[in-house]
Amino acid sequence: YTPSLISELDMLAASPLRHAPGGLPRYGHALGVAAARLAKETGPESYDAQFWAETCRQLYRKLPSQSPQTITLTLSALAKLRVHDEKLMDYVATSLNASWLRNFNAQDLALLCGSYARLGHRSPRLFQLVMAELLWKIPDAEPQELAQIAGSCAKLQCYDATLFRHLRMLSMRKLDEFGSRQLLNLLHGFASAGALGDHDEDFVRAVLERLNEDELVAGFELVALTQSTYIVSRVAGRHEVLLNSHLRPFLGKLARRFMVVAGEEELHPRHIASLSRACLDVGAVSRALIQFLTSRLPDADVRLPRSQRLDHFEALAALSASQEAAQQSGRSPLKPRLGSKKLGRSAEQEEHGKEEGSSRGRSRGRGRSQGEAADDRDGFDEVANALRRQLSQVLSKLAEDSSVGTASLRSREADLRRILAWDSELHQWLPDDWSTRLKPKLMQQTAREGQAAQYRRDGGEGLPTSSREGVDQTEASGASSSRSSSKGHRGEQSRGTRHGRGDGGVLDV
């Protein structure tokens, strides 16, 4: 133990609760308070592994005698430090029952949900009990807890229509009490859970009006920006009436803020993919933004985890689709406007942006020659061909990936759905490679693992030989799932440009 930990524990050991029946050695029932304070002072990179391992053992042994606050604060501290003790989490999930959960208040239940969600530990039984209990407790919940409940249930795919209906009603009543981060988490949770129905238009409109303030957007960092673009994508498919009044203006501010933040932080493929997808979903076209994002996309690295290489694939696919939409729009290229002072730029940069806009207007007034238009087409064709070459390379590496055998079948099926969501575009962009080589290989990877999993469930050993029949069945199911999966990205609705939203105008960046 480090000196600071010993000092903390000595102070807690002096508590009169130290010798309470069933109390933990040294801590007494102050374990949760100690864990929360120590987790706040340390981080996932510098925590004392021995100390937290002992904390997990003590909570496991003395769980029945601990208070709801102790249980939830300790689990929350473990989740903050990414200490994932599966045995402990399973034991807590199976031990807590409906009568025990009646002693938990709204904050305890929110922390419990947040701990399991942050660690990605699924427990459908526990969440069913918690969601049933929350119906009685959420009237006492604060905005932070409402947002945490919505986000946690969505992340672990534990959706309850009645609970989300209550969350929506209570959030509307307390909307003025929410901070910007809490609003984002709340709406992101609803969007991720697929809980935004046609009857939620007033709720979505009210939240977007709060988020669409310049002062709020000016404070968004990459995480908030990525959440916001995801929300735009999901809402666009459900509430087309909000496209012009709320979604496109909001996306324009997000795009300008992205360009500001990109000058300070490195953009990752998932950030680029999220913004590009949102532009497609609302039918917004900005050649300047496409060129900017394309220039910021890093080269693919085969050493990265498979999930990150899939992010790279999605970024390339979204940019390729955006290039097509921009080319089909027939509009002249736009030079990037540097944004307003409220969105993070200086007065000098604002003035420079006005000069560029004035110059652009004069050049438009003079008209553009046929030669200039041809040069634009050649430039777009060159970029499009480069993106497609990279797409082919990334897909080839994914198809040849030997590490795929270490992932679960569920994970591999999810990966395949992410790729097949772009099936029709890939047939167009890579007519030879995709149909004849890449798609069959990717399908066969998942088909073989599915057969192997079934073989193991049937009591066999080893890997059976993959048959063409099994691959064909997987192809059929994969093609079907490509039309209905990945709800947050492509499956719930077709791209905006396919529904005529591409005529919605140029995204003002």
Side-chain angles (χ1 to χ4, degrees):
Y1 297 106
T2 63
S4 61
L5 290 177
I6 293 174
S7 175
E8 181 79 16
L9 298 179
D10 286 343
M11 180 186 69
L12 292 168
S15 167
L17 296 175
R18 177 187 179 189
H19 302 295
L24 295 178
R26 297 179 64 88
Y27 307 100
H29 286 279
L31 172 64
V33 177
R37 289 186 60 182
L38 294 174
K40 186 176 181 179
E41 294 173 1
T42 58
E45 299 82 16
S46 59
Y47 70 89
D48 188 317
Q50 180 184 359
F51 168 79
W52 289 102
E54 180 61 25
T55 298
C56 292
R57 285 193 291 269
Q58 293 291 345
L59 182 59
Y60 188 98
R61 293 170 186 166
K62 302 292 184 179
L63 181 66
S65 63
Q66 300 308 306
S67 67
Q69 183 188 38
T70 296
I71 296 170
T72 55
L73 285 176
T74 305
L75 292 180
S76 179
L78 293 169
K80 287 179 181 178
L81 298 177
R82 300 293 192 269
V83 179
H84 190 183
D85 188 324
E86 294 188 12
K87 185 178 179 181
L88 173 63
M89 302 299 284
D90 286 337
Y91 179 61
V92 173
T94 55
S95 299
L96 294 177
N97 53 36
S99 60
W100 197 346
L101 288 172
R102 293 192 190 104
N103 298 312
F104 286 61
N105 60 29
Q107 184 183 32
D108 295 330
L109 294 170
L111 283 175
L112 185 64
C113 292
S115 301
Y116 277 80
R118 182 174 287 192
L119 294 173
H121 193 101
R122 288 178 56 81
S123 179
R125 173 195 168 275
L126 174 63
F127 268 70
Q128 287 178 0
L129 294 173
V130 169
M131 288 188 292
E133 186 62 27
L134 277 169
L135 295 177
W136 300 90
K137 304 292 177 63
I138 55 173
D140 300 325
E142 297 296 328
Q144 180 178 351
E145 290 145 13
L146 295 173
Q148 188 174 32
I149 292 167
S152 301
C153 292
K155 184 174 181 179
L156 294 182
Q157 300 175 356
C158 297
Y159 173 70
D160 182 86
T162 305
L163 174 63
F164 272 81
R165 186 165 62 251
H166 281 72
L167 286 172
R168 182 178 65 252
M169 293 170 57
L170 288 167
S171 299
M172 284 291 285
R173 294 176 187 172
K174 301 182 178 183
L175 200 59
D176 293 338
E177 302 175 25
F178 279 79
S180 60
R181 189 66 188 161
Q182 294 164 354
L183 278 174
L184 270 179
N185 289 337
L186 177 72
L187 195 54
H188 186 266
F190 271 79
S192 301
L196 293 177
D198 297 336
H199 54 280
D200 293 326
E201 183 181 320
D202 291 340
F203 169 64
V204 175
R205 188 193 303 272
V207 176
L208 286 177
E209 287 174 355
R210 283 283 313 278
L211 292 174
N212 205 8
E213 299 173 4
D214 286 350
E215 292 75 10
L216 292 183
V217 178
F220 284 1
E221 299 303 330
L222 279 177
V223 173
L225 289 170
T226 305
Q227 278 188 319
S228 301
T229 51
Y230 177 83
I231 290 169
V232 169
S233 291
R234 295 304 300 271
V235 174
R238 282 286 188 181
H239 304 287
E240 294 190 20
V241 69
L242 300 177
L243 279 174
N244 290 323
S245 60
H246 291 76
L247 295 179
R248 286 183 181 132
F250 185 41
L251 185 59
K253 294 178 182 180
L254 294 175
R256 295 196 293 275
R257 180 59 185 166
F258 253 107
M259 297 176 77
V260 173
V261 173
E264 306 164 357
E265 300 181 48
E266 180 184 0
L267 290 183
H268 293 280
R270 66 180 180 276
H271 305 137
I272 295 173
S274 178
L275 179 54
S276 301
R277 283 195 302 261
C279 292
L280 289 171
D281 286 330
V282 303
V285 177
S286 170
R287 295 187 175 188
L289 181 62
I290 296 168
Q291 293 165 359
F292 173 80
L293 294 177
T294 302
S295 68
R296 292 305 179 104
L297 184 64
D299 294 333
D301 189 346
V302 297
R303 297 169 297 180
L304 292 174
R306 183 178 176 87
S307 61
Q308 294 184 31
R309 283 181 282 145
L310 282 167
D311 291 337
H312 200 103
F313 158 76
E314 288 190 327
L316 289 168
L319 287 172
S320 296
S322 299
Q323 285 276 355
E324 279 191 351
Q327 194 169 15
Q328 292 169 3
S329 70
R331 295 184 176 92
S332 58
L334 296 175
K335 294 193 178 296
R337 199 174 76 185
L338 294 177
S340 66
K341 185 176 181 181
K342 288 184 179 180
L343 293 178
R345 289 299 180 128
S346 64
E348 292 80 8
Q349 290 171 323
E350 170 72 7
E351 186 63 29
H352 182 55
K354 291 179 180 178
E355 293 175 1
E356 284 193 347
S358 175
S359 174
R360 184 167 63 243
R362 290 194 297 271
S363 69
R364 285 177 179 170
R366 291 193 296 270
R368 303 177 72 249
S369 67
Q370 292 183 351
E372 289 174 324
D375 289 342
D376 287 340
R377 287 194 298 270
D378 292 342
F380 265 91
D381 289 341
E382 182 181 351
V383 175
N385 290 333
L387 288 171
R388 292 170 189 179
R389 284 195 298 271
Q390 292 184 58
L391 266 175
S392 180
Q393 293 170 3
V394 171
L395 285 171
S396 296
K397 294 297 183 182
L398 288 170
E400 299 166 2
D401 191 359
S402 59
S403 66
V404 70
T406 62
S408 66
L409 174 61
R410 181 175 180 176
S411 174
R412 272 192 291 278
E413 289 175 341
D415 292 349
L416 184 61
R417 286 194 296 270
R418 289 176 66 181
I419 297 173
L420 290 179
W422 298 91
D423 184 47
S424 59
E425 288 88 349
L426 290 171
H427 275 294
Q428 176 186 346
W429 298 333
L430 309 172
D432 298 327
D433 283 353
W434 174 244
S435 302
T436 61
R437 181 173 65 88
L438 298 173
K439 184 178 179 180
K441 280 188 176 181
L442 290 164
M443 304 297 292
Q444 191 171 10
Q445 277 183 352
T446 307
R448 282 183 57 83
E449 179 54 32
Q451 292 172 349
Q454 183 63 47
Y455 191 70
R456 289 191 292 270
R457 284 195 295 269
D458 292 341
E461 295 181 0
L463 182 67
T465 303
S466 175
S467 64
R468 182 64 243 175
E469 180 183 359
V471 176
D472 291 341
Q473 291 175 353
T474 307
E475 286 183 358
S477 63
S480 174
S481 64
S482 70
R483 293 188 291 271
S484 59
S485 61
S486 303
K487 292 182 180 179
H489 298 159
R490 291 181 59 83
E492 190 171 89
Q493 73 276 346
S494 298
R495 284 297 171 210
T497 51
R498 299 179 186 174
H499 288 274
R501 294 185 197 154
D503 296 332
V506 175
L507 187 65
D508 186 11
V509 296

